[in-house]
Amino acid sequence: MKFKKWATAMLATASVLTLAACGNSKDSGKKSDGDSDKIVTEVKKDTTVTFWHAMNGVQEEALTKIADDFMKENSNIKIELQNQSSYSDLQAKINSTLPSPDDLPTISQAYPGWLYGAAKDNMLVDLTPYMEDETIGWGDQEKIKDSLLAGAEIEGTQYGIPFNKSTEVLVYNKDMFDEYGVEVPTTMEEYKEACKTIWEKSNHTVVGGGFDSLNNYYAIGMENKGVELTKDLKLTDKDSVDLVNYYNEGIKEGYFRIAGSDKYLSGPFANSQVATFIGSMAGEGYVAKDTEGKFEYGVAPRPDKKNIQQGTDVYMFDSATGDEKTAAFLFMKYLATPDVQLYWANQTGYMPILDSVIDSDDYKNSETIKTPAILEDATKDLFAIPVVENADPAYNEIRTIMEKVFSDPSQDVKKVLEDSQAQLDAAWNQ
């Protein structure tokens, strides 16, 4: 099944960022004679692949080990990791460098929406010919999970390979659930009732739950109602109003809350101020550390049929030489091998992109985090935000609108949504 993806053309930043260590500006020169349009099936000379990323801490440590292991097996290929500090800095660096293709890296971690314009301008490499090549292609190597691979397409072309992927899960205070006789919810209605029960039985001292990402809350909720985020979406349609009211009424009555100044609900959760929250599986490591010695927590699939797939992919720029492209593809292919995926998932908490790893006992029986045991159920029906122009700013605008509504639950929800339609339309039409 094909899943629709989302993308948007991003404007270059006004300020010019430092382009030191941009990579790929080698003595051998960039693509100039057309030979890099042909697939090189063997990298015979020393070749450097520059990789821009925004991984830090244990994530960067894991990526460094993976790159080192790859280079041991491919002695003439150097993977030069260049950390751009954060997602926002990485996005800004890409945007400011796109007008100067020779200064782009060989590959970069990115959300597809960041590179929509680059794809339209033929600045990315279509990976399908590489994947299907008889010599260096995927061959017998296990295929990437369909929904995740489709999420790395831009307008139907396979420009990316999934990298640090995640989905949403339900995190709950198991001790509190046992104390108040609450069952783990499997539907959104059950989730609301569980949160209300905890709020009432705790004499209004513990908030039942909430959602970390407000635009994810809206997008997932609407997808489960059969509505995609497109420029035709009307905030005041019944499905939209009902979805917003579900959360708003809980905030008004006290059994729900938003993250607000805490940024993430994992903090209040660790302090037993919130009994549950729904957020990215990638945050479980923080939960495990912050709740240690306090109480036992549990993890369950998000209580809805459809769930979102999110996170970045790895994309290759067409300005690279033929040797650089093949070397980069071999590394991207290596990233997707079962052993590497198991290591990456165990070290970082991100989702394996291979079904065999998700289903494996080695992954499910993790001794450090609990998500692996339930991830198979949590990823049965994944979707991605549709691929339409300006979906990225519109998606961000949804967060702003939800914050406006939920910051004062006494407001007339439909009126606030009606007043916000113009700013959402402006984001779509910029």
Side-chain angles (χ1 to χ4, degrees):
M1 175 181 179
K2 284 287 185 180
F3 287 75
K4 291 183 179 180
K5 289 72 59 186
W6 63 278
T8 181
M10 301 300 297
L11 296 174
T13 52
S15 59
V16 178
L17 303 179
T18 303
L19 297 181
C22 284
N24 261 345
S25 296
K26 304 177 185 61
D27 293 338
S28 58
K30 291 293 234 175
K31 170 182 174 181
S32 58
D33 57 5
D35 64 344
S36 59
D37 290 327
K38 301 175 183 177
I39 294 179
V40 174
T41 56
E42 183 182 1
V43 180
K44 297 180 180 180
K45 58 185 179 181
D46 290 347
T47 301
T48 297
V49 172
T50 51
F51 182 10
W52 287 358
H53 68 91
M55 298 286 90
N56 295 290
V58 296
Q59 301 163 353
E60 185 175 24
E61 291 172 9
L63 180 58
T64 299
K65 182 183 184 306
I66 292 169
D68 288 343
D69 289 346
F70 173 82
M71 288 187 286
K72 289 176 184 176
E73 297 180 15
N74 299 270
S75 59
N76 61 335
I77 299 176
K78 178 183 178 182
I79 305 299
E80 188 174 300
L81 301 176
Q82 296 183 359
N83 191 332
Q84 305 303 319
S85 181
S86 66
Y87 282 151
S88 58
D89 288 342
L90 173 60
Q91 182 182 10
K93 183 75 169 284
I94 292 171
N95 287 340
S96 66
T97 312
L98 284 173
S100 304
D102 283 355
D103 293 323
L104 288 166
T106 321
I107 54 177
S108 182
Q109 177 187 15
Y111 286 96
W114 297 358
L115 298 175
Y116 180 80
K120 298 292 281 186
D121 291 338
N122 299 314
M123 298 179 71
L124 301 181
V125 175
D126 178 359
L127 298 178
T128 299
Y130 285 83
M131 297 173 77
E132 295 178 349
D133 187 84
E134 292 183 0
T135 304
I136 64 170
W138 226 256
D140 294 332
Q141 181 170 316
E142 182 182 351
K143 305 303 181 185
I144 295 168
K145 190 175 181 69
D146 287 343
S147 56
L148 299 181
L149 189 61
E153 294 178 3
I154 299 177
E155 292 197 337
T157 299
Q158 195 68 58
Y159 289 117
I161 295 295
F163 183 45
N164 59 318
K165 310 304 288 188
S166 66
T167 192
E168 290 203 339
V169 295
L170 166 66
V171 181
Y172 63 96
N173 185 320
K174 188 177 185 303
D175 292 354
M176 208 171 281
F177 271 44
D178 292 343
E179 179 183 354
Y180 296 125
V182 176
E183 297 291 329
V184 178
T186 59
T187 67
M188 292 298 284
E189 188 59 32
E190 289 178 0
Y191 183 60
K192 179 175 74 172
E193 292 306 315
C195 291
K196 289 176 73 172
T197 297
I198 292 168
W199 173 245
E200 291 165 0
K201 289 190 174 182
S202 69
N203 294 318
H204 297 176
T205 61
V206 180
V207 175
F211 301 80
D212 261 350
S213 171
L214 296 183
N215 43 357
N216 271 5
Y217 168 75
Y218 188 83
I220 298 171
M222 292 301 282
E223 185 75 22
N224 276 282
K225 292 176 179 291
V227 181
E228 291 182 331
L229 289 189
T230 69
K231 67 189 306 180
D232 297 325
L233 179 107
K234 298 302 178 187
L235 294 170
T236 53
D237 284 352
K238 185 179 185 304
D239 284 333
S240 176
V241 174
D242 288 348
L243 177 65
V244 176
N245 271 328
Y246 171 93
Y247 201 178
N248 196 65
E249 289 170 1
I251 296 171
K252 187 186 302 183
E253 294 183 28
Y255 56 86
F256 281 159
R257 61 159 287 185
I258 60 173
S261 60
D262 291 309
K263 295 186 178 180
Y264 299 98
L265 287 168
S266 55
F269 175 78
N271 294 326
S272 297
Q273 297 170 322
V274 177
T276 75
F277 71 93
I278 292 175
S280 172
M281 60 177 283
E284 193 198 337
Y286 298 100
V287 172
K289 179 181 178 181
D290 294 344
T291 61
E292 187 174 5
K294 295 180 180 180
F295 58 83
E296 182 180 357
Y297 76 91
V299 179
R302 192 185 194 279
D304 235 337
K305 183 179 183 298
K306 294 185 177 182
N307 202 355
I308 198 167
Q309 67 100 340
Q310 56 191 4
T312 70
D313 315 300
V314 179
Y315 295 87
M316 188 190 306
F317 291 100
D318 193 51
S319 51
T321 67
D323 281 335
E324 290 166 351
K325 289 177 180 177
T326 294
F329 174 74
L330 293 175
F331 180 61
M332 294 164 79
K333 183 180 172 184
Y334 180 76
L335 287 173
T337 56
D339 287 346
V340 171
Q341 279 299 300
L342 179 62
Y343 173 76
W344 175 250
N346 283 338
Q347 293 298 309
T348 65
Y350 285 117
M351 179 196 308
I353 62 175
L354 303 176
D355 282 325
S356 69
V357 179
I358 293 176
D359 299 342
S360 70
D361 289 339
D362 286 340
Y363 178 65
K364 287 183 175 180
N365 297 331
S366 170
E367 296 180 357
T368 56
I369 54 176
K370 302 180 180 183
T371 298
I374 60 93
L375 189 60
E376 184 179 1
D377 289 335
T379 57
K380 284 182 176 178
D381 196 350
L382 294 175
F383 77 97
I385 302 301
V387 179
V388 286
E389 188 176 8
N390 288 329
D392 193 32
Y395 195 55
N396 291 331
E397 199 62 48
I398 288 288
R399 180 191 301 111
T400 301
I401 294 169
M402 293 301 104
E403 288 173 346
K404 185 193 303 184
V405 175
F406 300 142
S407 63
D408 181 4
S410 65
Q411 301 174 92
D412 182 330
V413 168
K414 191 168 185 178
K415 180 67 164 60
V416 177
L417 294 176
E418 183 179 355
D419 292 344
S420 301
Q421 186 69 50
Q423 68 190 78
L424 180 60
D425 291 343
W428 281 116
N429 296 318
Q430 63 182 284

